[in-house]
Amino acid sequence: MSSIKQFQVTFDCAEPERVARFWCEVLGYVVPPPPEGFATWDDFNRSLPPERQGSAFVCMDPSGVGPRMYFQRVPEGKVVKNRVHLDVRVGTGLVGEERLAALEAECARLVALGAVRGQLLLADDENESCLGMQDIEGNEFCLD
């Protein structure tokens, strides 16, 4: 039996390219080159039937280590809390005030990109501090 070595994270959203570009900025990801035969993604997009234009977008870790992220347009909006979310690991190895400062600095950077700050959960006996946030379409994620 073989084990899975790679996976993709898929987001349902209203504006795939906009959300993908937001996550590129958050994670340091890049947009892959357009398919062979197309100079740009816009050229590729225009080659699709009208109902499929702008229906999906991708970003990827330039090192190839992190998962590919796929964004697909869906007709319905987000109405409830995510069952799965990303934890953006900005405070790994940090504790106390140093960790809080790292979380707050990254929060400020992401709010400038359109993210929304959520609740700060302070450290307790089991967990270190983390900060809840939402991306530009309201999908929850954590800074931890």
Side-chain angles (χ1 to χ4, degrees), residues 68-109:
R68 178 178 125 131
M69 297 178 69
Y70 182 80
F71 302 84
Q72 62 187 4
R73 185 174 58 217
V74 296
E76 69 277 358
K78 182 181 173 307
V79 293
V80 296
K81 185 179 185 308
N82 301 0
R83 297 275 313 258
V84 174
H85 68 267
L86 300 181
D87 286 343
V88 179
R89 311 293 312 273
V90 298
T92 303
L94 304 175
V95 296
E97 292 301 318
E98 189 177 18
R99 183 179 178 93
L100 289 175
L103 296 177
E104 292 295 347
E106 185 65 1
C107 176
R109 183 180 82 85

Side-chain angles (χ1 to χ4, degrees), residues 30-138:
V30 297
V31 174
E36 191 172 322
F38 295 94
T40 67
W41 279 104
D42 285 338
D43 291 344
F44 172 75
N45 197 44
R46 284 191 293 276
S47 76
L48 299 173
E51 67 275 6
R52 290 196 51 226
Q53 292 179 5
S55 66
F57 211 79
V58 172
C59 65
M60 58 188 248
D61 180 351
S63 72
V65 174
R68 178 178 125 131
M69 297 178 69
Y70 182 80
F71 302 84
Q72 62 187 4
R73 185 174 58 217
V74 296
E76 69 277 358
K78 182 181 173 307
V79 293
V80 296
K81 185 179 185 308
N82 301 0
R83 297 275 313 258
V84 174
H85 68 267
L86 300 181
D87 286 343
V88 179
R89 311 293 312 273
V90 298
T92 303
L94 304 175
V95 296
E97 292 301 318
E98 189 177 18
R99 183 179 178 93
L100 289 175
L103 296 177
E104 292 295 347
E106 185 65 1
C107 176
R109 183 180 82 85
L110 300 182
V111 165
L113 295 173
V116 176
R117 181 193 174 99
Q119 182 179 8
L120 174 64
L121 300 173
L122 295 174
D124 58 26
D125 291 335
E126 295 179 27
N127 301 297
E128 191 48 73
S129 299
C130 67
L131 179 57
M133 298 198 66
Q134 293 180 359
D135 74 10
I136 57 176
E137 284 200 0

